[in-house]
């Protein structure tokens, strides 16, 4: 089997609700665009991926994908993923990891289709579903968080994660309000998105530790390894880091050698694809650590990551970032959560994404070849 064509169709995404998770992830204009990547083979098996998201338009990276990564893929065997991923990663300084991640996802789609298996089975999974948690954006006031958490608990979701206002004292009050709303037995997490310095991080960490939170995510700047080490020594609540820095497998090493985090983390666009995530998840398992999968930024990434999460022995939840309208677009069969709080993998070969080609044609901006 050989790759005979690579093309990227850019299409508009309109009417996105306002979103804010941290200073670098905001959409207040309601518009973005995605790219549908198609990798074609001489055996008629196409692989697909989406590039971009609500806060990272595909147009930012589209040209680099075609200019730098398409030549790497053309004429190659798409099943030779290890070699192709290494060659794609070698271009990351010019093309960026989001483009590498998209290409890698399309290759996994081809491989599972060629094996006539849904991706989770191709990856060796013994389960086809996993519990989901709702992951808030920054909301207006403590009661907004408390009310939202209670709604998702009532709907059967397994857990709720807070992206707080990023003021330490107010963040503690938000966590208190949410804990009171859902009761002591419900699983809660806090993701402070790199917003504290060490004394603030310690204060908040001790507070949510007493409230029985499940994990404490990204409280410090991702470059402040020294403070992460100190923080981990002072707290018993598990610390979850490594969502950033943006980088491939090599960026994880210092977190392990310095014992700076309890869990590892990653996603397709930030880490350069499922191939990196698989390696680092197995690395985490060797250290008896969890690898928790971050939101993938768009619908097709999230579906691919759902298959991946189901294939891991050392991950516990599937993240669903809120609001839904800011992250679900371009598929006819987007991931849904059932009344028991479970996300289920499609059973068709490959990733199983039913792409809304009519929508993409209607919203098309350009086709890059």
């Amino acid at each position: 089997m050989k790759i005979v064509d690579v093309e990227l169709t850019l299409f508009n995404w309109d009417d996105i609700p306002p979103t804010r998770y941290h200073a670098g992830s905001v959409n207040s204009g309601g518009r973005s665009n995605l790219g549908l990547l198609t990798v074609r083979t001489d055996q008629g098996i196409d692989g697909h991926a989406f590039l971009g998201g609500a806060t990272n338009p595909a147009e930012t990276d589209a040209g680099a994908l075609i200019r730098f990564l398409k030549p790497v893929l053309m004429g190659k065997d798409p099943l030779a993923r290890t070699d192709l991923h290494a060659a794609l990663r070698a271009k990351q300084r010019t093309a960026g990891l989001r483009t590498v991640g998209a290409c890698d996802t399309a290759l996994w789609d081809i491989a599972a289709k060629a094996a006539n298996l849904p991706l989770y089975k191709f990856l060796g999974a013994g389960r086809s579903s996993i519990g989901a948690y709702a992951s808030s954006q920054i909301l207006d006031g403590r009661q907004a968080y408390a009310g939202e958490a209670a709604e998702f608990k009532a709907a059967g979701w397994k857990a709720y994660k807070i992206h707080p206002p990023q003021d330490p004292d107010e963040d503690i009050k938000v966590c208190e309000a949410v804990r009171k709303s859902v009761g002591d037995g419900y699983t809660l997490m806090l993701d402070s998105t790199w917003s504290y310095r060490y004394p603030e991080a310690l204060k908040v960490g001790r507070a949510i530790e007493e409230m029985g939170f499940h994990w404490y995510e990204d409280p410090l700047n991702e470059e402040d390894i020294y403070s992460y080490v100190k923080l981990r020594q002072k707290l018993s609540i598990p610390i979850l880091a490594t969502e950033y820095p943006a980088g491939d497998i090599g960026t994880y090493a210092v977190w392990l050698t310095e014992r700076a985090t309890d869990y590892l983390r990653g996603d397709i666009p930030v880490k350069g694809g499922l191939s990196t995530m698989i390696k680092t998840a197995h690395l985490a398992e060797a250290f008896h650590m969890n690898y928790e999968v971050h939101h993938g930024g768009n619908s097709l990434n999230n579906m691919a990551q759902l298959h991946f999460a189901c294939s891991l022995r050392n991950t516990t939840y599937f993240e669903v970032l809120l609001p839904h309208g800011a992250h679900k677009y371009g598929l006819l069969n987007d991931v849904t959560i059932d009344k028991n709080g479970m996300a289920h993998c499609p059973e068709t070969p490959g990733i199983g994404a039913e792409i809304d080609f009519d929508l993409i044609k209607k919203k098309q901006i350009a086709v890059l070849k």
Side-chain angles (χ1 to χ4, degrees), residues 60-351:
T60 304
D61 303 301
L65 189 154
I66 296 299
R67 180 175 182 180
F68 297 112
L69 301 189
K70 180 176 180 176
V72 174
L73 298 174
M74 290 296 293
K76 303 298 196 308
D77 178 358
L79 302 183
R81 290 181 310 282
T82 299
D83 288 345
L84 286 176
H85 190 244
L88 293 168
R89 285 171 52 212
K91 301 287 187 179
Q92 67 175 274
R93 287 177 176 82
T94 50
L97 281 168
R98 288 193 288 266
T99 59
V100 173
C103 292
D104 185 66
T105 299
L107 295 177
W108 280 101
D109 192 31
I110 290 171
K113 287 175 178 175
N116 199 33
L117 292 171
L119 181 57
Y120 79 91
K121 287 187 177 180
F122 185 68
L123 291 169
R127 59 178 173 174
S128 61
S129 62
I130 187 172
Y133 71 88
S135 186
S136 84
Q137 65 168 319
I138 296 176
L139 300 176
D140 294 326
R142 304 167 195 173
Q143 293 312 309
Y145 287 97
E148 185 174 81
E151 288 176 6
F152 281 97
K153 178 186 178 184
W157 291 51
K158 300 299 186 184
Y160 180 79
K161 189 173 79 175
I162 299 165
H163 287 95
Q166 300 175 6
D167 171 83
D169 292 330
E170 181 59 23
D171 294 354
I172 292 171
K173 296 297 184 183
V174 166
C175 292
E176 290 173 344
V178 172
R179 174 53 79 199
K180 182 178 180 181
S181 174
V182 300
D184 290 338
Y186 192 63
T187 301
L188 297 174
M189 305 88 148
L190 178 66
D191 182 353
S192 300
T193 58
W194 323 286
S195 57
Y196 307 144
R197 301 185 71 177
Y198 173 74
E200 301 165 339
L202 182 60
K203 179 180 180 180
V204 174
R206 283 175 170 163
I208 65 171
E209 196 171 72
E210 292 180 3
M211 295 180 222
F213 272 51
H214 185 61
W215 74 52
Y216 187 22
E217 185 175 342
D218 290 326
L220 299 160
N221 185 288
E222 68 270 14
E223 296 178 349
D224 193 2
I225 299 291
Y226 174 65
S227 291
Y228 268 104
V229 172
K230 289 196 300 178
L231 190 67
R232 186 168 177 262
Q233 291 169 347
K234 295 287 186 179
L235 298 176
S236 60
I237 183 173
I239 292 172
L240 173 56
T242 68
E243 177 182 319
Y244 282 89
D248 61 20
I249 189 169
T251 61
Y252 288 94
V254 66
W255 294 88
L256 296 171
T257 59
E258 297 302 314
R259 303 177 185 181
T261 184
D262 291 284
Y263 301 160
L264 299 185
R265 188 146 170 82
D267 61 56
I268 285 171
V270 176
K271 300 303 181 182
L274 291 177
S275 292
T276 297
M277 296 167 69
I278 290 167
K279 292 176 182 179
T280 48
H282 293 167
L283 179 64
E285 187 177 8
F287 282 82
H288 304 280
M289 299 169 69
N290 277 9
Y291 186 94
E292 298 294 343
V293 181
H294 180 238
H295 186 271
N298 63 53
S299 289
L300 210 157
N301 278 352
N302 284 326
M303 190 169 286
Q305 291 185 173
L306 173 57
H307 287 275
F308 167 68
C310 285
S311 76
L312 298 183
R313 297 182 67 252
N314 57 329
T315 195
T316 53
Y317 293 105
F318 178 73
E319 181 172 25
V320 179
L321 197 57
L322 304 175
H324 296 311
H327 305 287
K328 292 189 173 185
Y329 192 70
L331 298 186
L332 298 172
N333 66 330
D334 221 313
V335 176
T336 58
I337 310 305
D338 70 17
K339 63 181 180 180
N340 297 312
M342 303 297 288
H344 298 264
C345 297
E347 294 293 339
T348 51
I351 294 171

